[in-house]
Amino acid sequence: MTDRPNTELIEETRRLAAEADRVVVKAGTNSLTDEESNLDDEKLDKLVDDIMDLRERGKEVMLVSSGAIGAGKGRVDQPAETVEDMQAASTVGQSHLMRRYTESFERYDQKIAQILLTQEDLVDTDRFSNFRNSLETLLEWGVVPIINENDAIAIEEIKIGDNDMISSSVAVGVDADLLVTLTDVGGVYTGNPKEDPGAEKIEAVGENYAEVQQIVQHSSTAEFGGIRTKVQGAREANEHGIPAIIAESTEPDVLKKIASGTAVGTLFLPVNGKTSETVGETDE
Ligand code: GLU
C-alpha cells in the first residue's frame, strides 16, 4: 500500500470537488457498451442521469465520451480489425452514440452538442481558441457539450487512452474545477483488480504519485482504456491545480456522491494548490 496523503488535504480536495462549478466528465468505452460491442442503453441512461444530477445543482458539465469505435463495431456487419476499419466503424458508432445521447438527455429536456477533435486541434493555438470559444458559448447557453476524438480523420493511429489525455487538456483549457474519469473499475488499485483479488484501492494520490505511477505501469493491460493513461490525465489536471477523481461508472449516483463530498474512487490532489506544507498555515 502506498503512503496516504495527509487527511486534511484529502478532505479539502473532496470539498473542492464537491463545490466545483465547472466539471469535465470522461466516460470510457466499457462504461457505454456491452460485451458484444453494442451500445448499452442502460449504461448510457445511467451516465446521463448522473450528469443531470450535476446539471440540476447548477453546474456546467462537459462530457468527453468514448464509445464510437466500440458502438460502431457492433453495428457494422463485418469484423472491424484494422485501423482503417476501426476509423470507418467509428463514424457509424459516433452518429449512433449521439442519437442515443440526444434521446436520453431529452428525458430531462437537456440540449447537447457534439464536438469532434484531433490531437492537432489541441496544440494549434488558433484552433484550440476556437474550440474553447465554442465550448464557452455552449456552456453559457446551458448546453452539455459532448466531445470525442475525430477517429476517422485523426492523423495518428487510434491510440489507447487518447480521450484520457483529451479530457485533461479540455479541463485545463477551459479552467474546469474538476475532472472525473469514469471507468469499469472502482479507482486506482495496488494491482490489477480484474486479475488480483488482493489488490487494494488507493484512496488518494498526491505526494505518493511516483509510487502510484510505478504501480500502474505494472498493472496496466493493453486493453482499451488502461488505468495508466487515466492516472496520467488526472495528474496532468492536478499539475494545473485541478482536482481529479477516477471512479467506477456503475457506482450508484456516482456524480451526486462526488457533489456531496462523499468518498468515491481515487481522489487526485492538485499539485499547485495547497500542499502539505501550506495546509495548517494561516494566510498572511
Ligand atoms: N475515440 C475512441 C472512441 O470513441 C476512444 C478513444 C479512447 O477511449 O481513448 O471509440
Side-chain angles (χ1 to χ4, degrees):
M1 200 57 192
T2 69
D3 282 346
R4 187 175 177 276
N6 163 310
T7 307
E8 225 181 303
L9 271 177
I10 295 178
E11 278 165 15
E12 164 77 358
T13 307
R14 219 165 256 146
R15 191 183 57 75
L16 286 176
E19 289 172 0
D21 289 325
R22 183 171 276 195
V23 185
V24 174
V25 177
K26 189 258 164 178
T29 300
N30 290 337
S31 307
L32 290 160
T33 55
D34 65 19
E35 312 267 291
E36 274 86 49
S37 227
N38 294 309
L39 211 50
D40 184 321
D41 285 341
E42 259 177 55
K43 287 185 181 175
L44 187 139
D45 284 343
K46 181 201 180 286
L47 171 65
V48 170
D49 294 343
D50 288 333
I51 289 173
M52 289 311 296
D53 280 335
L54 300 185
R55 289 288 301 133
E56 280 158 10
R57 285 167 187 248
K59 296 176 190 289
E60 295 173 331
V61 187
M62 282 149 279
L63 172 64
V64 176
S65 173
S66 300
I69 299 170
K73 276 183 171 176
R75 276 179 88 74
V76 292
D77 296 326
Q78 36 270 313
E81 273 146 18
T82 63
V83 171
E84 287 79 8
D85 287 348
M86 285 198 272
Q87 287 185 306
S90 76
T91 64
V92 177
Q94 180 66 26
S95 60
H96 183 50
L97 191 59
M98 290 311 293
R99 179 176 72 182
R100 279 296 297 119
Y101 273 130
T102 303
E103 286 166 358
S104 189
F105 275 104
E106 263 169 5
R107 295 176 299 142
Y108 295 94
D109 215 12
Q110 172 65 57
K111 293 193 177 56
I112 59 167
Q114 169 187 261
I115 305 185
L116 298 180
L117 45 74
T118 62
Q119 301 285 342
E120 285 69 30
D121 302 323
L122 294 171
V123 291
D124 180 295
T125 322
D126 289 340
R127 284 173 178 229
F128 191 74
S129 133
N130 289 338
F131 166 62
R132 200 179 43 222
N133 291 343
S134 300
L135 273 184
E136 289 289 351
T137 307
L138 290 166
L139 294 173
E140 221 169 276
W141 290 346
V143 173
V144 172
I146 302 182
I147 301 155
N148 193 2
E149 185 162 26
N150 195 344
D151 296 313
I153 60 153
I155 295 169
E156 293 193 35
E157 287 186 6
I158 295 161
K159 278 208 283 314
I160 300 161
D162 276 352
N163 274 353
D164 295 322
M165 300 325 288
I166 287 179
S167 55
S168 61
S169 300
V170 171
V172 171
V174 301
D175 275 327
D177 306 305
L178 174 67
L179 168 65
V180 182
T181 302
L182 296 175
T183 181
D184 59 346
V185 288
V188 185
Y189 287 77
T190 54
N192 184 344
K194 288 181 185 163
E195 288 159 11
D196 173 6
E200 282 177 56
K201 191 163 84 179
I202 299 168
E203 185 190 4
V205 179
E207 289 165 8
N208 53 347
Y209 177 61
E211 222 177 316
V212 172
Q213 213 182 5
Q214 287 246 308
I215 292 172
V216 298
Q217 245 140 30
H218 291 124
S219 68
S220 277
T221 60
E223 90 195 24
F224 229 55
I227 196 73
R228 199 173 44 81
T229 50
K230 292 176 181 48
V231 168
Q232 252 174 36
R235 184 66 176 185
E236 171 77 20
N238 288 169
E239 281 167 1
H240 290 83
I242 305 168
I245 297 173
I246 298 179
E248 191 160 24
S249 57
T250 52
E251 163 106 28
D253 297 323
V254 62
L255 298 180
K256 196 188 219 169
K257 283 179 183 157
I258 291 171
S260 55
T262 308
V264 287
T266 298
L267 182 71
F268 284 72
L269 280 48
V271 172
N272 58 352
K274 282 188 176 172
T275 66
S276 52
E277 288 90 58
T278 59
V279 151
E281 285 177 13
T282 47
D283 289 333
E284 306 219 331

